Amino acid sequence: LPGGGGEEEVVKTSTTDGHHHCHHHPQHQIHSPLAQSPTTASPSVVVANRHRKSPWPLIGVGEALQHVRREARGQDWRTALVQREVSSALLGMWLGEDICAPCHFPPFPTSLKDGYAIRSADGSGVYQVLGTVTAGEVPTITRRSLQPFECWRITTGAVIPSFLAADAVAMVEFSELVEANAEGEEVQIRMQFPSHAEGKEKGKLSAGTDIRPTGSDWKQGTRLLRQGTVLDAAGLGLLAAIGMTSVKVYEPLTVGVLSTGNEIVNVNASLPSQQDPPLAAREAVNDSNRPMLLGLLRREPGVEVVDLGIAPDRKDAIKQVLQQAFRRCHLVISTGGASMGELDFIKTILEEYQ
């Protein structure tokens, strides 16, 4: 890929403050400071006195990845637990506590259909409609149980009061109007239950038809989400369903991504003109490594990505960016500046931290 100063394969180096840096190299060989403690690899002020061979022995990609994994396992990546409001901002974050159901859900029996609360034993026939029970309203109906061939009109999600002794909901499609009053309210309806339908027998509904029982989704105390779960849309919906307003989550792992190189430019930046030294349009290289790495990281759960931009090939400039990044980030990934050129300062700077 262009944009990394020609350095492509990954190697991870470690500093004393626990930060790690990934660099790229064109061949399947990698300069690794992990194999020994080299003398400085920086270009000398006098270029003629610079290293002619890298003090970092070349190792294969497989061995380099082993170093990366070993260094990563040696770090304590646990971040602080924080209390956060339940909102879409929690998507992709790691849950910091077990979530258990505070109560049965649903907490009361409800209707699964728009229809009529009835006694299943009554079966087909003409029913007296006593009134209406709707979702979201406290039933104000007369506190007595249903008598034979009496019913209450009911809406989906409405509570079925226990005192009614209704054990089934007949959906509206089973009914036809017999009588209405002057206000247009139903007085009598005829119910006709097909005897051949599944779950029906001799024109009757089965007890429990289209009723959602108390605790049918989960019982009080059921563990709904485990600590360490990555919160997705379903998890957020579950937290909202049980009335959670805030939860403990782990702070995101903050990862900074830096590109280096005088020739590297942002792909969406306007290029300098031919008369604008030191970089002419034909000499510029679009930065592709950094956007690629930022994209890969942003799809990872529990990661907050910091775009550190492009640093020029100056030791003081790179060091300043890295120092600021080390204070802000748990992990820093850089591309470029890791080969044997006189402007490759990354290894020198990392050595200074060891």
Side-chain angles (χ1 to χ4, degrees):
L1 294 175
E7 296 143 359
E8 296 304 315
E9 294 298 336
V10 175
V11 59
K12 194 166 189 178
T13 65
S14 176
T15 68
T16 55
D17 58 0
H19 297 285
H20 298 74
H21 313 275
C22 294
H23 310 291
H24 292 229
H25 198 278
Q27 301 174 352
H28 285 250
Q29 296 293 325
I30 294 163
H31 300 279
S32 172
L34 301 172
Q36 64 181 46
S37 298
T39 57
T40 182
S42 65
S44 171
V45 175
V46 180
V47 176
N49 292 336
R50 68 179 179 174
H51 286 285
R52 301 293 166 172
K53 292 183 179 179
S54 175
W56 280 271
L58 294 179
I59 61 175
V61 173
E63 184 180 348
L65 290 175
Q66 289 178 3
H67 285 307
V68 171
R69 294 188 184 101
R70 182 171 61 248
E71 290 292 310
R73 283 194 296 267
Q75 300 296 322
D76 184 358
W77 296 109
R78 290 174 297 180
T79 55
L81 281 173
V82 292
Q83 197 81 17
R84 293 284 178 88
E85 180 183 353
V86 173
S87 71
S88 59
L90 294 183
L91 280 173
M93 298 188 73
W94 297 91
L95 187 61
E97 59 181 325
D98 284 344
I99 301 297
C100 297
C103 62
H104 297 326
F105 193 86
F108 32 69
T110 61
S111 174
L112 286 171
K113 299 282 179 64
D114 293 318
Y116 303 87
I118 67 168
R119 304 186 325 161
S120 62
D122 291 341
S124 299
V126 176
Y127 283 73
Q128 193 77 14
V129 182
L130 303 181
T132 305
V133 181
T134 59
E137 294 185 0
V138 178
T140 57
I141 61 180
T142 305
R143 297 184 65 86
R144 71 171 179 83
S145 60
L146 291 172
Q147 299 303 305
F149 291 97
E150 289 182 340
C151 67
W152 280 86
R153 189 167 62 250
I154 194 165
T155 63
T156 301
V159 178
I160 300 175
S162 58
F163 58 81
L164 280 184
D167 65 352
V169 170
M171 60 184 182
V172 69
E173 287 85 349
F174 288 142
S175 71
E176 62 179 45
L177 181 65
V178 173
E179 181 185 350
N181 61 22
E183 288 77 31
E185 293 293 327
E186 297 169 332
V187 176
Q188 287 186 331
I189 58 170
R190 178 176 284 105
M191 296 283 195
Q192 187 63 48
F193 306 124
S195 58
H196 63 277
E198 185 178 351
K200 321 292 187 297
E201 52 181 64
K202 292 195 173 185
K204 292 183 178 181
L205 293 183
S206 302
T209 296
D210 287 331
I211 290 179
R212 188 182 180 198
T214 300
S216 55
D217 284 5
W218 56 72
K219 306 294 185 183
Q220 183 178 10
T222 300
R223 182 166 58 186
L224 304 175
L225 294 170
R226 291 179 179 271
Q227 182 182 20
T229 297
V230 178
L231 287 171
D232 56 10
L236 291 182
L238 194 57
L239 292 174
I242 62 174
M244 296 286 291
T245 57
S246 66
V247 292
K248 291 179 181 178
V249 294
Y250 290 101
E251 283 188 328
L253 186 70
T254 307
V255 181
V257 180
L258 170 69
S259 283
T260 64
N262 291 334
E263 77 283 16
I264 307 302
V265 296
N266 283 314
V267 68
N268 58 351
S270 57
L271 291 175
S273 67
Q274 296 283 353
Q275 292 75 33
D276 186 12
L279 187 65
R282 68 178 183 277
E283 298 166 344
V285 177
N286 288 328
D287 188 355
S288 60
N289 284 350
R290 186 168 50 95
M292 176 184 67
L293 292 170
L294 291 170
L296 287 170
L297 289 164
R298 284 188 173 120
R299 71 182 187 184
E300 293 297 318
V303 173
E304 180 180 317
V305 182
V306 179
D307 186 350
L308 299 174
I310 302 170
D313 285 325
R314 295 199 328 270
K315 183 177 178 181
D316 60 334
I318 296 172
K319 190 170 185 177
Q320 182 179 14
V321 173
L322 289 177
Q323 285 175 334
Q324 293 172 353
F326 292 164
R327 288 192 290 267
R328 183 180 179 184
C329 304
H330 297 97
L331 186 74
V332 174
I333 301 173
S334 66
T335 72
S339 189
M340 289 288 291
E342 59 193 86
L343 298 181
D344 291 327
F345 295 107
I346 289 290
K347 295 176 184 177
T348 306
I349 295 170
L350 297 184
E351 258 198 323
E352 294 174 1
Y353 281 92
Q354 291 182 340

